Amino acid sequence: NVPLGTKVHVSAPMGSFVLHKNADRPALFLVGGIGITPIRSIIADAIYRKLPHNLMLLYSNRTVASAAFLADFEAWARENHAFIFIPTITDEQPKDWIHEVGQITEPMLRTHLVRLTSQKAGNPSPIAYIVGPPAFVSAMLPIAEGAGIDPDNIRTEEFAGY
């Protein structure tokens, strides 16, 4: 709604929601819907810079059509052995969908966490990033803790009102 030619001020990126530095600790991303926005940037940067972190993304959406950046994540997972991508759809069951169906649950998370933690010697506990609508973040916290993630190693970001 801003008229053409309007001057705007743009600031530098801000915030502290970034990938942890200790590459010995894997990164687990539990993301719902539009919460994927900052996580896409984090994962793209890690892959572009060839960081040694092991990364896993469980990405929940209601429909395939609402899953932003799906093709990017699928390509990155094919090209990078250190990135595991687990998308899930909750409100439909497409015939050609080869990924998970249903909400992220503790058993689903436990099943996939084995793949992430077995990639590093000593099976270190991951740093978990939980991002999405407030209800999603609230639902994922006990699931992550129940799957064995130390609450001190969980970082959250809520996306509300979009």
Side-chain angles (χ1 to χ4, degrees):
N1 296 334
V2 175
L4 289 176
T6 301
K7 291 185 180 187
V8 297
H9 175 75
V10 178
S11 65
M14 299 180 299
S16 60
F17 201 75
V18 297
L19 184 64
H20 59 278
K21 292 183 183 191
N22 182 355
D24 290 335
R25 305 285 301 274
L28 168 67
F29 302 97
L30 300 175
V31 181
I34 197 63
I36 198 63
T37 305
I39 301 308
R40 183 196 183 280
S41 296
I42 290 171
I43 292 172
D45 179 63
I47 290 172
Y48 174 78
R49 293 193 301 145
K50 296 180 175 43
L51 296 179
H53 296 69
N54 285 323
L55 312 168
M56 176 180 281
L57 168 60
L58 276 81
Y59 180 29
S60 179
N61 284 277
R62 291 182 178 157
T63 65
V64 175
S66 66
F69 312 117
L70 189 63
D72 291 344
F73 292 117
E74 288 175 329
W76 292 335
R78 281 191 305 272
E79 298 164 4
N80 188 322
H81 72 278
F83 175 54
I84 301 167
F85 179 47
I86 314 294
T88 185
I89 300 299
T90 62
D91 291 0
E92 64 182 13
Q93 294 187 4
K95 292 178 186 173
D96 59 343
W97 184 249
I98 60 170
H99 304 291
E100 295 277 355
V101 175
Q103 296 181 345
I104 298 171
T105 63
E106 187 179 319
M108 178 192 294
L109 179 55
R110 282 183 179 277
T111 296
H112 294 296
L113 266 178
V114 171
R115 296 171 53 202
L116 179 65
T117 57
S118 66
Q119 291 181 324
K120 289 280 187 186
N123 298 330
S125 177
I127 302 294
Y129 302 80
I130 303 175
V131 190
F136 176 85
V137 172
S138 293
M140 290 299 105
L141 284 167
I143 288 172
E145 290 179 27
I149 307 295
D150 183 333
D152 289 339
N153 294 330
I154 297 175
R155 302 173 183 180
T156 64
E157 186 75 26
E158 295 180 357
F159 278 66
Y162 54 89

